[in-house]
Amino acid sequence: MIKESTLEPANAVDRTVVDAGDYYMEVVKAGQTVRILDLEGNQAADTLFYSEADPGERYSAIDTIREQGNVYLTAGSVLMSNECNPMLEIIADTCGRHDTLGGACATESNTVRYDLDKRCMHACRDSWMLAVAENEEFGMGKRDITHNINFFMNVPITEDGGLTFEDGISAPGKYVEMKALMDVIVLISNCPQLNNPCNAYNPTPVEVLIWD
Ligand SMILES: [Zn+2]
């Protein structure tokens, strides 16, 4: 569902451009709003959310899908934790649909899906692993890297239930905006994938904006 934001970028308390292949790991407090802006279009922002109070409580695709009765995420979706608590609500979305089924790219899946010589290519899972290693204060490790949301990624379900990775439906300037319902750690890998159309074979930066 397309829904425009009422917030002005000029009033944001924090703005960070995240290059493709980099990660973003910051706390967003309950009541704050976070926007992920697809600066150049057709990018994939592979995102995980954790409770700041207890990172063992984290975004759960299964609980979110079951509670809303729909596999796509868009305005109105409430992102649920593995303890079935609401973590964030999508309050604006100019892309219209986001994936939470396709998973994130990894060097291992690149070799299985594409070619053995793709193993050396940088992948989202590496960015997350680097993030938890470089941000020890959150006390997280490899086991905390779980199932994610692919903002701006287009993974339509076929009539007989199949999954397909398709060319993106996002475009330059499209965004998704969420209000935090608890204090959350936001962990984004701005996808460096070069082998599938999730980012039009051309990884580009995204911007993260936060409002009080
Ligand atoms: Zn990726």
Side-chain angles (χ1 to χ4, degrees):
M1 183 175 68
I2 303 292
K3 189 174 175 196
E4 304 246 349
S5 172
T6 56
L7 296 172
E8 290 295 333
N11 298 331
V13 294
D14 192 66
R15 298 181 69 157
T16 307
V17 172
V18 186
D19 286 332
D22 277 355
Y23 71 80
Y24 174 92
M25 191 178 200
E26 297 291 339
V27 171
V28 175
K29 294 290 185 184
Q32 287 188 314
T33 298
V34 56
R35 175 189 296 182
I36 306 173
L37 171 61
D38 190 0
L39 288 168
E40 297 183 33
N42 272 359
Q43 185 52 18
D46 293 43
T47 304
L48 294 157
F49 296 107
Y50 305 85
S51 159
E52 187 194 14
D54 171 19
E57 181 173 12
R58 73 278 299 256
Y59 170 72
S60 166
I62 290 170
D63 292 286
T64 299
I65 289 168
R66 185 194 62 244
E67 290 300 306
Q68 72 171 10
N70 194 295
V71 295
Y72 300 126
L73 304 178
T74 186
S77 290
V78 176
L79 309 181
M80 306 297 291
S81 76
N82 56 334
E83 297 178 22
C84 222
N85 294 313
M87 301 187 80
L88 305 103
E89 179 176 355
I90 300 180
I91 55 172
D93 179 16
T94 60
C95 179
R97 194 171 81 197
H98 307 269
D99 165 66
T100 192
L101 298 172
C105 63
T107 53
E108 294 84 354
S109 63
N110 279 345
T111 63
V112 171
R113 284 181 182 154
Y114 309 113
D115 198 288
L116 277 180
D117 69 11
K118 307 291 188 189
R119 187 171 178 90
C120 59
M121 293 177 77
H122 187 62
C124 283
R125 197 173 166 78
D126 300 329
S127 292
W128 287 334
M129 294 290 287
L130 184 64
V132 298
E134 288 185 340
N135 293 270
E136 288 179 348
E137 67 274 22
F138 295 120
M140 289 160 55
K142 192 174 184 178
R143 282 187 176 181
D144 295 297
I145 304 303
T146 55
H147 198 90
N148 67 298
I149 297 171
N150 296 305
F151 286 115
F152 309 116
M153 193 160 122
N154 186 24
V155 184
I157 311 291
T158 64
E159 223 168 80
D160 55 359
L163 277 182
T164 55
F165 288 69
E166 300 290 342
D167 196 6
I169 53 174
S170 187
K174 298 217 176 195
Y175 58 82
V176 59
E177 199 170 278
M178 292 154 276
K179 191 177 190 79
L181 305 174
M182 65 168 71
D183 298 346
V184 289
I185 303 164
V186 179
L187 175 53
I188 300 170
S189 162
N190 192 16
C191 186
Q193 180 60 258
L194 292 169
N195 299 294
N196 80 41
C198 71
N199 48 23
Y201 304 96
N202 176 32
T204 50
V206 298
E207 185 175 5
V208 182
L209 298 90
I210 295 172
W211 287 264
D212 280 334

Tab-separated table of all heavy atoms in Angstrom, residues 30-63:
chain	number	residue	atom	x	y	z
A	30	ALA	N	12.042	3.808	21.271
A	30	ALA	CA	10.585	3.740	21.155
A	30	ALA	C	10.033	5.147	20.936
A	30	ALA	O	10.424	6.093	21.629
A	30	ALA	CB	9.986	3.136	22.422
A	31	GLY	N	9.175	5.302	19.956
A	31	GLY	CA	8.584	6.600	19.643
A	31	GLY	C	9.303	7.321	18.519
A	31	GLY	O	8.734	8.204	17.881
A	32	GLN	N	10.560	6.963	18.270
A	32	GLN	CA	11.276	7.551	17.133
A	32	GLN	C	10.828	6.879	15.832
A	32	GLN	O	10.293	5.768	15.836
A	32	GLN	CB	12.793	7.389	17.298
A	32	GLN	CG	13.397	8.310	18.351
A	32	GLN	CD	14.917	8.265	18.339
A	32	GLN	OE1	15.526	7.194	18.291
A	32	GLN	NE2	15.537	9.433	18.413
A	33	THR	N	11.064	7.582	14.739
A	33	THR	CA	10.724	7.053	13.415
A	33	THR	C	12.001	6.911	12.607
A	33	THR	O	12.862	7.791	12.627
A	33	THR	CB	9.743	8.005	12.701
A	33	THR	OG1	8.543	8.083	13.474
A	33	THR	CG2	9.406	7.514	11.294
A	34	VAL	N	12.118	5.789	11.916
A	34	VAL	CA	13.294	5.549	11.072
A	34	VAL	C	12.828	5.346	9.635
A	34	VAL	O	11.853	4.635	9.379
A	34	VAL	CB	14.131	4.357	11.600
A	34	VAL	CG1	13.300	3.081	11.719
A	34	VAL	CG2	15.358	4.108	10.713
A	35	ARG	N	13.498	6.012	8.717
A	35	ARG	CA	13.194	5.867	7.282
A	35	ARG	C	14.405	5.291	6.565
A	35	ARG	O	15.533	5.721	6.830
A	35	ARG	CB	12.850	7.236	6.674
A	35	ARG	CG	12.628	7.197	5.160
A	35	ARG	CD	12.496	8.586	4.542
A	35	ARG	NE	11.318	9.307	5.021
A	35	ARG	CZ	10.975	10.529	4.584
A	35	ARG	NH1	11.705	11.142	3.665
A	35	ARG	NH2	9.911	11.126	5.086
A	36	ILE	N	14.169	4.348	5.677
A	36	ILE	CA	15.225	3.871	4.777
A	36	ILE	C	14.862	4.379	3.388
A	36	ILE	O	13.774	4.107	2.880
A	36	ILE	CB	15.349	2.337	4.791
A	36	ILE	CG1	15.531	1.829	6.230
A	36	ILE	CG2	16.521	1.893	3.918
A	36	ILE	CD1	15.497	0.306	6.356
A	37	LEU	N	15.779	5.150	2.822
A	37	LEU	CA	15.535	5.839	1.555
A	37	LEU	C	16.392	5.207	0.465
A	37	LEU	O	17.624	5.117	0.591
A	37	LEU	CB	15.895	7.320	1.740
A	37	LEU	CG	15.926	8.235	0.528
A	37	LEU	CD1	14.558	8.319	-0.138
A	37	LEU	CD2	16.393	9.632	0.950
A	38	ASP	N	15.734	4.753	-0.581
A	38	ASP	CA	16.414	4.127	-1.727
A	38	ASP	C	16.873	5.255	-2.650
A	38	ASP	O	16.122	5.745	-3.487
A	38	ASP	CB	15.426	3.182	-2.424
A	38	ASP	CG	16.093	2.302	-3.464
A	38	ASP	OD1	17.327	2.417	-3.643
A	38	ASP	OD2	15.375	1.501	-4.086
A	39	LEU	N	18.133	5.681	-2.486
A	39	LEU	CA	18.586	6.915	-3.138
A	39	LEU	C	18.556	6.813	-4.663
A	39	LEU	O	18.126	7.738	-5.351
A	39	LEU	CB	20.000	7.262	-2.674
A	39	LEU	CG	20.118	7.779	-1.234
A	39	LEU	CD1	21.583	7.802	-0.809
A	39	LEU	CD2	19.503	9.162	-1.086
A	40	GLU	N	19.042	5.688	-5.196
A	40	GLU	CA	19.165	5.590	-6.662
A	40	GLU	C	18.221	4.569	-7.282
A	40	GLU	O	18.187	4.412	-8.497
A	40	GLU	CB	20.631	5.278	-7.021
A	40	GLU	CG	21.568	6.402	-6.581
A	40	GLU	CD	23.017	6.170	-6.991
A	40	GLU	OE1	23.267	5.581	-8.044
A	40	GLU	OE2	23.904	6.582	-6.220
A	41	GLY	N	17.466	3.846	-6.419
A	41	GLY	CA	16.464	2.909	-6.930
A	41	GLY	C	16.962	1.493	-7.054
A	41	GLY	O	18.152	1.241	-7.260
A	42	ASN	N	16.005	0.541	-6.908
A	42	ASN	CA	16.289	-0.891	-7.087
A	42	ASN	C	17.411	-1.414	-6.205
A	42	ASN	O	18.131	-2.323	-6.604
A	42	ASN	CB	16.607	-1.198	-8.548
A	42	ASN	CG	15.344	-1.495	-9.330
A	42	ASN	OD1	14.256	-1.494	-8.765
A	42	ASN	ND2	15.475	-1.764	-10.607
A	43	GLN	N	17.557	-0.848	-5.017
A	43	GLN	CA	18.544	-1.379	-4.085
A	43	GLN	C	17.829	-2.350	-3.147
A	43	GLN	O	16.596	-2.369	-3.087
A	43	GLN	CB	19.208	-0.221	-3.319
A	43	GLN	CG	20.334	-0.605	-2.394
A	43	GLN	CD	21.413	-1.462	-3.047
A	43	GLN	OE1	21.523	-1.524	-4.264
A	43	GLN	NE2	22.180	-2.161	-2.246
A	44	ALA	N	18.576	-3.199	-2.453
A	44	ALA	CA	18.007	-4.086	-1.437
A	44	ALA	C	18.691	-3.784	-0.110
A	44	ALA	O	19.922	-3.806	-0.030
A	44	ALA	CB	18.205	-5.550	-1.818
A	45	ALA	N	17.884	-3.459	0.903
A	45	ALA	CA	18.412	-3.182	2.240
A	45	ALA	C	18.032	-4.353	3.139
A	45	ALA	O	16.896	-4.457	3.595
A	45	ALA	CB	17.848	-1.867	2.773
A	46	ASP	N	18.993	-5.257	3.369
A	46	ASP	CA	18.742	-6.476	4.148
A	46	ASP	C	18.830	-6.114	5.630
A	46	ASP	O	19.902	-5.751	6.116
A	46	ASP	CB	19.776	-7.543	3.786
A	46	ASP	CG	19.615	-8.050	2.358
A	46	ASP	OD1	19.400	-7.213	1.464
A	46	ASP	OD2	19.712	-9.265	2.145
A	47	THR	N	17.698	-6.239	6.327
A	47	THR	CA	17.570	-5.606	7.642
A	47	THR	C	17.127	-6.586	8.718
A	47	THR	O	16.255	-7.421	8.498
A	47	THR	CB	16.554	-4.454	7.545
A	47	THR	OG1	16.984	-3.551	6.522
A	47	THR	CG2	16.438	-3.702	8.863
A	48	LEU	N	17.754	-6.438	9.897
A	48	LEU	CA	17.391	-7.196	11.096
A	48	LEU	C	17.082	-6.201	12.208
A	48	LEU	O	17.691	-5.121	12.261
A	48	LEU	CB	18.560	-8.086	11.529
A	48	LEU	CG	18.952	-9.217	10.568
A	48	LEU	CD1	20.397	-9.646	10.809
A	48	LEU	CD2	18.018	-10.399	10.734
A	49	PHE	N	16.147	-6.565	13.083
A	49	PHE	CA	15.824	-5.730	14.246
A	49	PHE	C	15.939	-6.573	15.516
A	49	PHE	O	15.541	-7.740	15.529
A	49	PHE	CB	14.388	-5.201	14.145
A	49	PHE	CG	14.144	-4.278	12.991
A	49	PHE	CD1	13.420	-4.715	11.893
A	49	PHE	CD2	14.624	-2.979	12.994
A	49	PHE	CE1	13.178	-3.869	10.810
A	49	PHE	CE2	14.387	-2.119	11.923
A	49	PHE	CZ	13.663	-2.574	10.832
A	50	TYR	N	16.458	-5.934	16.580
A	50	TYR	CA	16.594	-6.593	17.879
A	50	TYR	C	16.080	-5.665	18.960
A	50	TYR	O	16.200	-4.448	18.852
A	50	TYR	CB	18.073	-6.881	18.186
A	50	TYR	CG	18.765	-7.678	17.124
A	50	TYR	CD1	19.313	-7.038	16.009
A	50	TYR	CD2	18.853	-9.052	17.203
A	50	TYR	CE1	19.934	-7.772	15.009
A	50	TYR	CE2	19.476	-9.788	16.209
A	50	TYR	CZ	20.020	-9.141	15.114
A	50	TYR	OH	20.622	-9.863	14.126
A	51	SER	N	15.555	-6.253	20.033
A	51	SER	CA	15.249	-5.463	21.217
A	51	SER	C	16.564	-5.003	21.821
A	51	SER	O	17.464	-5.818	22.046
A	51	SER	CB	14.472	-6.324	22.225
A	51	SER	OG	14.585	-5.758	23.512
A	52	GLU	N	16.673	-3.690	22.106
A	52	GLU	CA	17.920	-3.211	22.718
A	52	GLU	C	18.082	-3.803	24.118
A	52	GLU	O	19.187	-4.125	24.545
A	52	GLU	CB	17.928	-1.678	22.795
A	52	GLU	CG	19.275	-1.156	23.268
A	52	GLU	CD	19.263	0.304	23.685
A	52	GLU	OE1	18.182	0.872	23.875
A	52	GLU	OE2	20.357	0.862	23.841
A	53	ALA	N	16.950	-3.964	24.823
A	53	ALA	CA	17.010	-4.462	26.201
A	53	ALA	C	17.481	-5.916	26.244
A	53	ALA	O	18.172	-6.320	27.187
A	53	ALA	CB	15.638	-4.327	26.860
A	54	ASP	N	17.120	-6.687	25.239
A	54	ASP	CA	17.487	-8.099	25.191
A	54	ASP	C	17.575	-8.533	23.730
A	54	ASP	O	16.567	-8.905	23.124
A	54	ASP	CB	16.444	-8.952	25.925
A	54	ASP	CG	16.697	-10.445	25.686
A	54	ASP	OD1	17.820	-10.810	25.282
A	54	ASP	OD2	15.756	-11.234	25.900
A	55	PRO	N	18.771	-8.475	23.140
A	55	PRO	CA	18.890	-8.810	21.709
A	55	PRO	C	18.468	-10.241	21.377
A	55	PRO	O	18.326	-10.592	20.203
A	55	PRO	CB	20.382	-8.587	21.417
A	55	PRO	CG	20.828	-7.618	22.461
A	55	PRO	CD	20.039	-7.966	23.696
A	56	GLY	N	18.240	-11.084	22.409
A	56	GLY	CA	17.670	-12.407	22.160
A	56	GLY	C	16.252	-12.306	21.628
A	56	GLY	O	15.736	-13.257	21.036
A	57	GLU	N	15.610	-11.174	21.861
A	57	GLU	CA	14.301	-10.911	21.255
A	57	GLU	C	14.550	-10.143	19.967
A	57	GLU	O	15.134	-9.067	19.979
A	57	GLU	CB	13.404	-10.104	22.194
A	57	GLU	CG	12.030	-9.859	21.577
A	57	GLU	CD	11.018	-9.215	22.530
A	57	GLU	OE1	11.433	-8.731	23.613
A	57	GLU	OE2	9.835	-9.188	22.159
A	58	ARG	N	14.109	-10.712	18.828
A	58	ARG	CA	14.431	-10.117	17.534
A	58	ARG	C	13.286	-10.286	16.559
A	58	ARG	O	12.340	-11.033	16.813
A	58	ARG	CB	15.712	-10.718	16.961
A	58	ARG	CG	15.628	-12.152	16.418
A	58	ARG	CD	15.741	-13.192	17.467
A	58	ARG	NE	17.029	-13.120	18.167
A	58	ARG	CZ	18.023	-13.954	17.952
A	58	ARG	NH1	17.907	-14.903	17.047
A	58	ARG	NH2	19.121	-13.877	18.654
A	59	TYR	N	13.400	-9.570	15.441
A	59	TYR	CA	12.378	-9.645	14.385
A	59	TYR	C	12.136	-11.097	13.992
A	59	TYR	O	13.082	-11.871	13.789
A	59	TYR	CB	12.827	-8.851	13.160
A	59	TYR	CG	11.929	-9.105	11.970
A	59	TYR	CD1	10.637	-8.583	11.933
A	59	TYR	CD2	12.354	-9.913	10.912
A	59	TYR	CE1	9.802	-8.855	10.858
A	59	TYR	CE2	11.518	-10.174	9.834
A	59	TYR	CZ	10.248	-9.641	9.815
A	59	TYR	OH	9.415	-9.918	8.762
A	60	SER	N	10.864	-11.432	13.840
A	60	SER	CA	10.478	-12.782	13.425
A	60	SER	C	9.568	-12.691	12.212
A	60	SER	O	8.445	-12.169	12.303
A	60	SER	CB	9.759	-13.486	14.575
A	60	SER	OG	9.099	-14.644	14.088
A	61	ALA	N	10.065	-13.193	11.094
A	61	ALA	CA	9.260	-13.191	9.867
A	61	ALA	C	7.998	-14.036	10.048
A	61	ALA	O	6.901	-13.634	9.651
A	61	ALA	CB	10.095	-13.726	8.701
A	62	ILE	N	8.150	-15.188	10.682
A	62	ILE	CA	7.011	-16.114	10.829
A	62	ILE	C	5.898	-15.472	11.654
A	62	ILE	O	4.721	-15.513	11.274
A	62	ILE	CB	7.486	-17.421	11.496
A	62	ILE	CG1	8.363	-18.201	10.516
A	62	ILE	CG2	6.301	-18.258	11.962
A	62	ILE	CD1	9.083	-19.367	11.139
A	63	ASP	N	6.259	-14.868	12.784
A	63	ASP	CA	5.223	-14.265	13.640
A	63	ASP	C	4.577	-13.075	12.956
A	63	ASP	O	3.375	-12.846	13.085
A	63	ASP	CB	5.846	-13.869	14.982
A	63	ASP	CG	6.247	-15.098	15.788
A	63	ASP	OD1	5.351	-15.769	16.324
A	63	ASP	OD2	7.448	-15.395	15.860
